[in-house]
Amino acid sequence: MRLYAAVAVSGFRRYATYRVATAAGVFTNTVFGFVIAYTFVALWDERPHLGGYDQSQALTFVWVSQGLLAAAALLGGGFQEELQERIRTGDIAVDLYRPADLQLWWLAADLGRAAFHLLGRGAVPVAVGALAFELSLPADPLRWLAFLLSALLGVVVGFALRFLVALCAFWLLDGQGVNMISALMCMFFSGMLLPLTVFPGLFGEIARLLPWAAMLQVPVDVLLGTHSGTGLARALGFQVLWAALLLGAGRALQSLATRKVVVQGG
Amino acid sequence: MAGNELSDDGFIELDGVEKVFDVRRKAGFLRRERHRVRAVDGIGFRVGRGEMVGYIGPNGAGKSTTIKMLTGILTPSAGRLRVAGIDPSRERAGLAHRIGVVFGQRTTLWWDLPLRDSYGLVRRMYRVPEARYRANLDRCVELLDLGALLDVPVRQLSLGQRMRGDIAAALLHDPEVLYLDEPTIGLDVVSKAKVRGFLREVNAERGTTVLLTTHDLTDIEQLCERVMVIDHGRLVHDGGLAELHAAGESERTLVVDLERELPPIEDVPGARTVKVEGPRQWLAFGTGQSAAPIVAAVAERYPLVDLSVREPDIEDVIARMYAGGKGL
Amino acid sequence: MADALARARSVSGGLRAYGLIVAMWVRSTMAYRASFLMTTAGNFAASVLDFVAIMIMFSHIDRLGGFTLPEIALLYGATSTSLGLADLALGNMDRVGRRVRDGTFDILLVRPAPVVAQVAADRFALRRLGRVSQGLLVLGWGVARADVAWTPAKALFTAVTVIAGAGIFAAVFIAGAAFQFWAADASEVQNSFTYGGSTMLQYPPAVFARELVRGATFVVPLAFVNWIPVLRMLGRDDPLGLPGWVDFCGPGVALAMLTAAGLLWRVGLRNYRSTGS
């Protein structure tokens, strides 16, 4: 446990060294926040209560999304390419023989990264958004706590998905295609482009059940107070379920991969 | 092809060349301190056409900065610098046709394409006439043993093979001068030998002027009659390798780890203790001597835990040159 | 005169080097043909999903900022095609910072070709045709469905607009790359102006705050990519009340921006050569 804590801390530190890159990222998130916020204002002017949100909730959705973008790695990044590179070059064999679990190791590192991104890249855009627009951020500290928990679960689900994708590199010569599909699904079905509650009919219902919904839509809804009481428990349970399922699948794939490495020697 | 005649006029000329960098260092959370660093601090030398010169010095001494100024990558802060009569920083593109550059650890070859394709790009980019290109390529293939590698994607080549490929790429356009930055670093013995043999051949056959930086004294011994040493941005030696050795008598070092801290070892014939740090001691002995009797003598008289022998490297030679006060 | 001749020669030399390097990257790409096809499809699909989100919006509304869906398609198609073309031509210029850091930038400086051409061609990615083709499809749909009486002159105006728009985005890419000579890690800032700018241009100017529209007209004149010309095509007034002749300034703005970006690049390169960092 101490080991993984240390890995998480070094994951945090590693990203903390890039100050200029962080500032550049915050700038970009803020610009995108403004652009999307204005389109949402126009959209909610035409259709108040679209997707069950009022205008200030919709705007909160925009800015919190921009704040979570880096932490939840909605646009990719993080460890995925690095792990694939290690698999491609065969360095992964070293990792597999280390007295630490591969999946937990990378999860710890990714949680460290996410923690930095939540602070370093999340706070400023949300603050700017709150200054420029009327947001409905909760005053209840318990709601914030629930949001943090939900965001954490979202990060774990995102990690589990990308870990699965990264491990495909054991069998595919070139992981780019899978990476692309994974990034596309994440972009569209996380709610990053448009809240999933706005998606129409059956399509929307299915979209809200997919694992990508656990990455952004659910945490933002928790913050907005859409879920309360048993609803909140159900929302968090939905995330836990996907996290467990996907981490389990990753574990199974990892043991298959280990066998492959042991048999073929890399 | 320029003939093989050596001329005194200086094909490469440097007079009082300086390069000063402003370095910003972190000093606290947001504060940055500015420092002026004189990477090259008033260097002057001449290299004649067809010479092969070693350019050596410790890391950060200013070697790479000099090469970057010679190739026109960097603009000197002061002084006069000419290559073939041209000021590299002003006419970088024009000079590019006349120079070849090999950066030891940065390949210019195309990772996913066969070696041959990289050479094709060089031919077009440098507008090398077809016949000339053929002849040069054939000669490089022969001397560097590239025949079997031409159709192999570069990513599949070993480090040594890639370096050979890179050196060939730098010579296809008949450069008058070739700069090599650490051309043998990390190479296996066979590749090192091939590279050295090739450079000798090119220099003798075409009269290509060669300036190379290296950490490997053997490169210098086998290739260069003349060696220049740079340290802290200044030229501290310019002459033969023999003189360099004489200036800083080369010695090998035996590093021994004893069981406990002991006074300096004094009773081992042929060796003298130069440094003590806790249980670890450094014993210097001449390059001509065998290490075996010294190791045996130490092991017999002292509680030896571990040992290693260090060959003299350029840093040592330079350090000793200073200690002897015989430099410059 | 001699100066102009030298400049012309350097431009043609730059284009030639650009073509040579692009050809090498295309060949490298074709070493992984399956991956190329997949990533091109992915590039296309990413842009499609982007537009699907707008279509979902329009499943709830009829107009946004006074524009119907086909009219939005005109805006979207024009900016997406322009950005796609610029991204295809020199979208990897933002690797300059990385090249400076790992030292491979020096290799470009000892070759007999303009550095800007070499950097522009760096890692040329043919898969970006995916975005261009999606942009053209949406533009075509918008042209077919929007309430515009098309004439040959208007068609020509549209084509010129798309190309001038690509020039404007190209200038932003070049300026962004030049900026990295001072801040090597700041490559993401330019995304604000390219991708962020393009996202903004997909929607009518009436949606945005006046100051934002003004900034996009006079400070970083992205408005000339599509806002001003498309408003002209649709016969609507622009929200800033600019005189009519401004509508035809797109190509001029693109040239001016490219010149300014080129100058910035030269200053940046000179700075690099004197500081080496």
Side-chain angles (χ1 to χ4, degrees), chain B residues 257-280:
Chain B
D257 287 331
L258 305 177
E259 262 174 24
R260 57 187 181 277
E261 225 168 294
L262 286 169
I265 297 170
E266 275 168 358
D267 46 357
V268 174
R272 59 193 170 82
T273 306
V274 290
K275 190 174 163 194
V276 180
E277 235 180 60
R280 178 170 286 189

Side-chain angles (χ1 to χ4, degrees), chain A:
Chain A
M1 208 53 217
R2 283 255 297 276
L3 170 69
Y4 299 113
V7 171
V9 169
S10 79
F12 184 97
R13 286 234 182 90
R14 188 171 153 202
Y15 284 87
T17 48
Y18 298 109
R19 285 163 205 279
V20 179
T22 304
V26 166
F27 180 77
T28 306
N29 290 148
T30 308
V31 169
F32 269 92
F34 273 106
V35 170
I36 302 172
Y38 281 117
T39 63
F40 276 26
V41 167
L43 190 56
W44 263 265
D45 271 347
E46 294 279 333
R47 279 291 299 270
H49 302 292
L50 181 61
Y53 300 135
D54 62 28
Q55 194 172 85
S56 83
Q57 283 179 317
L59 286 170
T60 311
F61 194 102
V62 173
W63 287 100
V64 175
S65 298
Q66 288 301 318
L68 277 177
L69 203 71
L74 294 177
L75 291 171
F79 71 100
Q80 188 179 338
E81 287 82 8
E82 198 182 336
L83 181 53
Q84 277 171 337
E85 184 64 16
R86 288 189 76 78
I87 294 171
R88 206 178 60 78
T89 57
D91 289 346
I92 194 74
V94 182
D95 301 354
L96 285 172
Y97 289 117
R98 238 190 325 224
D101 181 74
L102 187 73
Q103 194 185 35
L104 279 178
W105 176 282
W106 287 97
L107 175 60
D110 200 49
L111 286 178
R113 175 202 60 76
F116 172 73
H117 277 160
L118 191 63
L119 293 171
R121 289 194 49 179
V124 175
V126 173
V128 171
L131 283 176
F133 298 90
E134 197 183 310
L135 303 189
S136 54
L137 294 168
D140 179 7
L142 279 179
R143 182 103 64 82
W144 280 100
L145 216 60
F147 164 71
L148 278 182
L149 179 63
S150 181
L152 170 74
L153 287 169
V155 171
V156 174
V157 170
F159 165 82
L161 276 168
R162 283 175 297 139
F163 186 75
L164 275 173
V165 170
L167 285 197
C168 290
F170 274 109
W171 292 274
L172 300 172
L173 206 65
D174 180 63
Q176 277 209 56
V178 194
N179 285 354
M180 195 123 214
I181 293 165
S182 145
L184 281 179
M185 300 300 277
C186 181
M187 182 182 92
F188 196 69
F189 288 112
S190 64
M192 193 176 94
L193 290 177
L194 206 58
L196 298 181
T197 48
V198 176
F199 285 24
L202 182 66
F203 179 59
E205 273 169 48
I206 294 170
R208 291 189 285 274
L209 288 177
L210 297 175
W212 296 280
M215 293 172 68
L216 181 67
Q217 181 73 41
V218 174
V220 179
D221 275 342
V222 167
L223 186 72
L224 289 173
T226 316
H227 309 292
S228 58
T230 51
L232 179 61
R234 203 161 344 128
L236 296 176
F238 169 76
Q239 289 182 297
V240 170
L241 190 70
W242 271 121
L245 269 174
L246 293 166
L247 285 174
R251 194 139 279 281
L253 206 58
Q254 178 183 333
S255 67
L256 274 178
T258 313
R259 215 168 305 150
K260 182 172 142 57
V261 171
V262 173
V263 172
Q264 300 180 356

